[in-house]
Amino acid sequence: MNSQTCSRVTLGALASTILVAGSVFASPLTLDNGAPVGDNQNSQTAGSNGPTLLQDVHLIQKLQRFDREKIPERVVHARGTGAHGEFIASADISELTMAKVFTPGQKTPVFVRFSSVVHGSHSPETLRDPRGFATKFYTADGNWDLVGNNFPTFFIRDAIKFPDMVHAFKPDPRTNLGNDARRFDFLSHLPEATRTLTLLYSNEGTPKSYRHMDGNSVHAYKFINAKGEASYVKFRWKTLQGQKNLDPGEVARIQGQDFSHMTNDLVAAIKRGDHPRWDLYIQTLKPEQMAALDYDPLDPTKIWPGVAERKIGQMVLNRNVENFYQETEQVTLAPSNLVPGIEPSEDRLLQGRLFSYADTQTYRVGANAMSLPVNRPKVAVNNGNQDGALNASRTVGSVNYEPSRKQPRPATESARYSQLPLSGTTQQQAIARTQNFKQAGELYRSYDAKNRRDLINSFGQSLAGSDDESKHIILSYLYKADAEYGKGVCKVAGGNLAKVKQLAARLED
Ligand code: HEM
């Protein structure tokens, strides 16, 4: 048995493989029931010219297992790669949160999955897209997943729009072809997308590698301290490799050579011992500071300009996966995996995500997804949840209910959810402080001349084929954000500037 076949065998067979001074003594090939295989090269047939026999259970099992090798790919973020590493907390933030992961000096194992969003699991990694940056922290209080993106903002602010947004971005259901005109038909109804669209069409939409990009929580979460006091917090991973992107010329060149350039880069760097690192920064706001801002700080289409950043730790990725499917494909990263001291904010997009990930994962991977090795917490799980397909847990005892005198499982008082004062009625209404364009203009003006030019060309070329009305509405958003930006894209997209100005004049800030 060589090392390649070795990686396919079960643990039992592996244990019986003995290595002596470089030579390998083979353990026999078996069926899944452990019985030895008689012939793995020839199916059992009825004589020399008859059909293959159904009683060849080895052949049938091999084909059945092959037929079931794939689980559904993620409905978004299907293309990705993962690695293991470690997070080391460096700052005492106990005044903000009781989360044990932030105890200074505490080392926490992590698994990170990077991804792109729209296209399928083998799509080119050069395609323009936001990138996922999702981290599972195996903390002493259970798993905490920080499921973020490289961009600090998102296109929409309410979960009810997410399925429509993804449908518009994905290929046309009739032709299965990408179609920018469909996207802009939809996006022209979303002025709040202007900042994130600017990021998408800038060179930040085509990062050089996963090692060279930052990560962001996008949403605010809530830190809760030991006294039960809340602060709102945004997280940001800052790459220590330097943030680097590809311009459109580099994208075309690299795509012609390697459609997995980001995975190749990460795997090769870790393999050669060049372990990538990110510092973790937070920005925090007290609940009483929120109302004074001229934008809504719980709106994920916004960053928090001018709010001080503080470094609280560092992450290193130092181990490639041993099996892509078992680790990267089966990992279930979900914003609902939270630990005491970290809670969701009232951000309407995040609230939808709290449901959606755990829901899709019980479908994509199964009811027992959280007991797979890559998803299992390092601390014991102790509750009455049970059974379900493919349950490999070793549950013992009779008490699968709570409360019980036979086997008490007390609740932890300090882990109670924090309290939020409320007033008013239920409602279905947009947020009040929309401020759709200001931060988009600031972002545009933060780019140097070359990056502005690349953005204008990329955006203009993509927008050019849209229907006249959608095109001019989008152009009015860009013009409202920054006149130079709007004019530039208008020229490349073949728009009518007078019409753009007219539409922009009608927009509120
Ligand atoms: C209401 C809005 C959103 C919904 C309903 C949603 C839904 C989903 C779903 C269903 C998946 C597939 C999960 C899986 O199969 O394991 C996914 C993956 C992902 N989403 Fe979202 N998403 C939303 C917004 C966002 C935002 C704002 C971000 C960034 C902050 C984000 C980042 C990611 C990442 C990084 C992944 C891939 C996780 C992995 O690597 O396994 N999503 N999303």
Side-chain angles (χ1 to χ4, degrees), residues 117-119 127-130 155 164-172 177-190 193 197 200-201 459 462-463 465-467 470-471 474:
V117 181
V118 173
H119 298 279
L127 295 177
R128 184 174 298 286
D129 224 351
F155 301 97
D164 296 298
M165 188 201 86
V166 172
H167 291 171
F169 269 100
K170 289 241 182 207
D172 184 327
L177 294 171
N179 183 338
D180 287 343
R182 293 174 69 251
R183 296 179 182 186
F184 289 117
D185 177 29
F186 176 73
L187 290 163
S188 61
H189 299 270
L190 300 183
L197 274 177
L200 182 68
Y201 283 105
F459 208 147
S462 180
L463 188 59
S466 293
D467 68 274
S470 303
K471 184 197 291 187
I474 293 276

Side-chain angles (χ1 to χ4, degrees), residues 74 76-77 113 132 148-149 159 162 218 349 353 357 361 364:
R74 289 166 176 82
V76 282
H77 293 260
R113 184 171 178 274
N149 278 346
F162 188 78
V218 177
L349 195 70
R353 295 181 73 204
Y357 290 65
Q361 287 158 1
R364 181 172 72 80

